Amino acid sequence: SSGQNVIGSFGMGNGIDDVFVCQRNTGNNNVFAKDTFNPQSPRSNNIDSNQNGLVMISSSFSGGRISCSFTRTIEAGNPGQDRQLNESVFILLAAGSERGAANVGLTLRHDITRGAAAGAVVLTPTPTPEVQALGSFPSGCERSACTVYAQWSSVPSDSSVLMFELEGSATGWVAMGLSADQVMGGNGIDDVFVCQRDTGNNNVFAKDTFNPQNQSPRSNNIDSNQNGLVMISSSFSGGRISCSFTRTIEAGNPGQDRQLNESVFILLAAGSERGAANVGLTLRHDLIRGAAAGAVVLTEGGSPEVGCADNPLVRVHGEARIVTNIAVRYYNQLGNILRRQKH
């Protein structure tokens, strides 16, 4: 850029943007770094009340390009103006032609370029924690043999969270729902964790969504914020999507999340739609869907059995029983969840 280069990051949902700026001086070619923020409303860019926590290392303006390097403390130096660097954020990039001073915010909005990441990241390394497996679904299925597979574990180093591992044969997304019943968006909200492939590449991100209760038409919506969910790892390889993440046991978004220590039915689904991190799923499970035959309390352990569909009968442990048309529609194709498991 021939002007300023702005690097910003912000958390999903409402809140301030913490914006790091490399800016060319008004009177010469010197470049300085400064810490600014965008308030939630109205839109503007303001200089932080102090620059505590930011230390510039080097800077240059050469060949029409601005660059600078700096350190910033992981902890927020200016609460209400900075973001913690160990929380989940989207990254924004922008550039503008305005040269300026170090003691004010930016007055010219990105007239050269701007852009945003499709998925949220945690800037600090997130090591995979030591875990103790509590359960999995489908029960008794080797994960590589399952069309869709979910496992949940306790984290001895942090009793406030559970760790989830979710994977499946899909080109767009795989999802795990926690429901009050075996019906999507039925009697109560469904808390839905999604591992989704990015619209523009093979990157996979995790996001927290929900299905509203008894809504017609049924829909899937992004949570108002992603508080409580931290992605650990993800991949798309060999036609399979996978990701692991932790989620707080307590509901981060009441009315959109479920407590992880309450009795729930597990729903699994997969779809071909690639998407963005800041919206819900718009394409319903066109690859596979299924539900556990019984409820489970995730924090207490245990792996629920699978109900397999043979329209108009559902076989559970080889026992045939008549079910309602709603259950039959929901369980239809459920046998495909296990590619090798015998019913």
Side-chain angles (χ1 to χ4, degrees), residues 322-334:
I322 299 176
V323 295
T324 65
N325 288 335
I326 292 176
V328 169
R329 286 198 300 271
Y330 197 87
Y331 281 112
N332 190 28
Q333 298 178 351
L334 188 55

Side-chain angles (χ1 to χ4, degrees), residues 17-326:
D17 304 336
D18 193 358
V19 183
F20 309 136
V21 181
C22 299
Q23 188 163 15
R24 190 175 166 212
N25 192 284
T26 52
N28 52 43
N29 286 336
N30 292 340
V31 173
F32 53 86
K34 62 183 180 183
D35 199 352
T36 71
F37 69 100
N38 301 331
Q40 186 171 344
S41 180
R43 289 185 178 177
S44 63
N45 179 260
N46 303 322
I47 191 75
D48 277 19
S49 56
N50 65 64
Q51 299 294 292
N52 291 351
L54 186 144
V55 177
M56 192 171 79
I57 305 298
S58 63
S59 66
S60 70
F61 176 66
S62 176
R65 293 181 67 84
I66 286 174
S67 68
C68 75
S69 63
F70 52 90
T71 61
R72 220 300 300 270
T73 54
I74 294 174
E75 296 295 320
N78 295 295
Q81 299 176 354
D82 289 341
R83 283 196 171 274
Q84 303 279 112
L85 301 187
N86 55 3
E87 66 180 5
S88 181
V89 295
F90 283 88
I91 295 176
L92 309 180
L93 292 179
S97 60
E98 174 194 44
R99 295 165 67 177
N103 61 347
V104 294
L106 303 172
T107 57
L108 176 65
R109 292 182 59 194
H110 34 67
D111 61 333
I112 293 179
T113 189
R114 66 185 185 276
V121 298
V122 178
L123 300 180
T124 53
T126 306
T128 301
E130 295 292 329
V131 299
Q132 294 178 351
L134 293 172
S136 63
F137 180 66
S139 174
C141 178
E142 293 293 333
R143 68 174 64 196
S144 61
C146 299
T147 303
V148 186
Y149 175 87
Q151 177 177 300
W152 53 97
S153 306
S154 63
V155 181
S157 62
D158 188 351
S159 61
S160 68
V161 303
L162 292 184
M163 179 172 163
F164 293 86
E165 298 170 71
L166 181 60
E167 70 173 79
S169 298
T171 55
W173 55 269
V174 293
M176 174 186 185
L178 307 180
S179 178
D181 51 29
Q182 296 165 318
V183 180
M184 186 184 84
N187 184 26
I189 64 103
D190 303 333
D191 194 356
V192 183
F193 308 137
V194 181
C195 300
Q196 188 162 19
R197 189 175 166 213
D198 193 284
T199 52
N201 52 46
N202 287 335
N203 292 339
V204 173
F205 53 85
K207 62 183 179 183
D208 199 351
T209 71
F210 70 100
N211 301 330
Q213 178 179 357
N214 294 325
Q215 186 177 78
S216 183
R218 292 175 180 173
S219 66
N220 176 263
N221 303 325
I222 191 75
D223 278 19
S224 56
N225 65 64
Q226 299 294 291
N227 290 350
L229 186 145
V230 176
M231 191 170 80
I232 304 297
S233 64
S234 66
S235 70
F236 176 67
S237 177
R240 288 180 71 84
I241 287 173
S242 68
C243 75
S244 62
F245 52 90
T246 59
R247 220 300 299 270
T248 52
I249 294 172
E250 296 294 320
N253 295 293
Q256 299 175 354
D257 289 342
R258 283 195 171 274
Q259 302 280 110
L260 301 186
N261 55 4
E262 66 181 7
S263 181
V264 294
F265 285 85
I266 296 177
L267 314 179
L268 291 181
S272 61
E273 175 192 45
R274 295 165 68 177
N278 60 347
V279 294
L281 301 172
T282 58
L283 177 65
R284 288 181 61 193
H285 35 68
D286 61 331
L287 297 180
I288 190 67
R289 65 187 184 277
V296 64
V297 178
L298 299 181
T299 54
E300 294 180 1
S303 301
E305 298 292 339
V306 178
C308 295
D310 282 333
N311 193 20
L313 299 177
V314 173
R315 290 190 175 95
V316 182
H317 296 305
E319 175 189 357
R321 56 189 175 93
I322 299 176
V323 295
T324 65
N325 288 335
I326 292 176

